[in-house]
Amino acid sequence: MQTELSRKLGVEHAVFGFTPFPAVAAAISRAGGFGVLGAVRYTAPGDLKRDLDWIEAHVDGRPYGLDVVMPAKKVEGVSEADVEAMIPEGHRRFVTDTLAKYGVPELAEGEASGWRITGWMEQVARTQLDVAFGYPIRLLANALGSPPADVVARAHEHNVLVAALAGSARHAVKHKEAGIDIVVAQGYEAGGHTGEIASMVLTPEVVEAVDPLPVLAAGGIGSGQQVAAALALGAQGAWLGSLWLTTTEAELPSPKLIQKLLAAGSGDTVRSRALTGKPARQLRTEWTDAWDAPDGPGTLPMPLQGLLVAEAVSRIQKYEVDPLLGTPVGQIVGRMNSERSVQAVFDDLTRGFEQAVDRINRIAGRSGQS
């Protein structure tokens, strides 16, 4: 599964794996792919440094990257406390009442929320970059569009390629104009923040719009056959995120959540603003239904929604409240039916890729050529 981009980065397979877990990122790179660590949960620079140290010690010298979240619009002089003060009291009551309805216990006195949305704020992302550029990362990806021009320039000074996610060809062209090196065309099927255009339509549109920039296809990819399809559409690699959530190296906080993922079908997700304020695909739960209900208060814009629900999400996960328990995940969850190692996933990807290429060769009358 090699392409011009994978050869440029020195990886065996053109499979880019996004994950919040250092052990998964390192395992992806060791297996011949390109591991990308999601940085959004690192609000303390020391924590990110600790995990990048760990990756360096376990990646066997293979390349890897970092994914940050830097909003396109910068707001000067606004603290987290200032943002929290903007949250309406009615929304706070809705969270309290919903948690009470399902009997979700309080956190212990003095216990902090395990998940905060502050990683979406630009000043936090910049501290992450201060740490990351001290390591030999090869790729910097931004999930909310093109990073600021000075960040792109700084990455290039460190010989780091910059990637940005796009949900439309129009967004992709803006990335190209901003000096981005790689565009990730993320289709409607993807987990987390995603647009409204399906991968089969989006990928070739973006490839054509930003030529000759390399494009990675994302959304709904979880097999070698789908990787082959992405390359056939003109992509130079596949960007996979959800597939790694049920690997044995992952560190999901709840065994019950793992079982929900393993049992879910491809129709058991929903694009909802309940988690961050922007449409993000996740498991459909009674929590997402409550926020999307016509008689609810409606979600708040980013980052207000994320700050509002941070403690609630931590409580739901800690106490494994089944009706409310969910996570960002794509429609590919229907293929995630067993816990496997990252290496086992790669073995399956490469087998499926070879089968797809052989099938196309037979159709084209080139049997035996792969």
Side-chain angles (χ1 to χ4, degrees):
M1 295 188 287
Q2 277 209 340
T3 64
E4 181 182 348
L5 179 61
S6 66
R7 287 189 287 270
K8 180 177 181 178
L9 288 169
V11 295
E12 183 179 357
H13 303 301
V15 172
F16 295 71
F18 165 81
T19 174
F21 307 121
V24 176
I28 290 170
S29 291
R30 288 198 308 271
F34 191 99
V36 182
L37 178 67
V40 69
R41 67 190 179 99
Y42 294 98
T43 56
D47 292 342
L48 179 58
K49 184 179 187 306
R50 176 201 63 214
D51 283 356
L52 288 176
D53 283 340
W54 190 93
I55 288 176
E56 273 291 298
H58 292 84
V59 82
D60 294 347
R62 306 290 182 89
Y64 62 94
L66 192 74
D67 179 279
V68 298
V69 178
M70 301 188 77
K73 295 181 180 178
K74 182 177 181 179
V75 180
E76 299 281 2
V78 178
S79 68
E80 181 181 344
D82 294 331
V83 175
E84 289 235 35
M86 300 176 189
I87 297 173
E89 188 57 37
H91 282 72
R92 295 187 188 276
R93 283 197 303 271
F94 179 77
V95 170
T96 300
D97 292 347
T98 303
L99 295 179
K101 175 182 176 180
Y102 290 92
V104 183
E106 298 274 357
L107 294 176
E109 186 175 351
E111 183 178 358
S113 167
W115 178 82
R116 295 292 280 170
I117 201 68
T118 49
W120 305 104
M121 302 175 75
E122 183 176 335
Q123 61 265 36
V124 176
R126 286 186 177 274
T127 63
Q128 295 166 350
L129 295 178
D130 290 340
V131 173
F133 285 133
Y135 292 81
I137 63 171
R138 295 294 311 280
L139 177 71
L140 175 67
N142 187 40
L144 286 182
S146 304
D150 68 296
V151 171
V152 176
R154 188 179 178 191
H156 289 165
E157 288 170 2
H158 286 82
N159 197 31
V160 174
L161 297 178
V162 181
L165 275 65
S168 71
R170 178 173 57 85
H171 292 153
V173 170
K174 289 184 177 180
H175 295 338
K176 182 180 181 181
E177 293 170 348
I180 300 302
D181 305 293
I182 302 167
V183 175
V184 181
Q186 179 158 289
Y188 172 84
E189 309 95 324
H193 294 124
T194 186
E196 299 181 351
I197 304 174
S199 298
M200 182 65 74
V201 174
L202 179 66
T203 301
E205 285 186 352
V206 171
V207 168
E208 182 177 347
V210 301
D211 184 61
L213 287 187
V215 172
L216 301 178
I221 301 175
S223 71
Q225 290 88 341
Q226 290 166 319
V227 174
L231 301 190
L233 292 173
Q236 288 205 28
W239 178 276
L240 282 61
S242 299
L243 192 64
W244 317 110
L245 289 173
T246 53
T247 57
T248 53
E249 292 90 344
E251 302 163 23
L252 282 177
S254 163
K256 188 175 288 187
L257 178 56
I258 295 173
Q259 292 308 309
K260 288 190 76 170
L261 288 170
L262 296 175
S266 56
D268 293 329
T269 68
V270 63
R271 284 174 76 243
S272 171
R273 298 177 184 266
L275 186 62
T276 69
K278 284 184 176 290
R281 186 171 296 284
Q282 53 204 281
L283 280 180
R284 182 175 182 177
T285 66
E286 293 186 31
W287 176 256
T288 61
D289 285 350
W291 280 105
D292 296 336
D295 58 348
T299 55
L300 298 171
M302 180 186 279
L304 299 181
Q305 182 72 15
L307 289 170
L308 170 65
V309 305
E311 182 181 312
V313 170
S314 292
R315 288 165 60 184
I316 291 167
Q317 291 184 346
K318 176 178 180 179
Y319 298 110
E320 297 188 302
V321 183
D322 189 80
L324 308 180
L325 188 62
T327 186
V329 69
Q331 291 180 332
I332 200 63
V333 69
R335 291 186 61 92
M336 296 157 51
N337 301 319
S338 63
E339 291 187 77
R340 300 178 294 166
S341 69
V342 168
Q343 183 61 62
V345 171
F346 262 89
D347 292 343
D348 184 59
L349 289 172
T350 53
R351 280 195 299 269
F353 182 84
E354 290 169 357
Q355 290 168 2
V357 172
D358 287 343
R359 184 181 305 119
I360 295 301
N361 279 332
R362 288 197 300 272
I363 292 171
R366 293 192 296 270
S367 180
Q369 301 177 27
S370 61

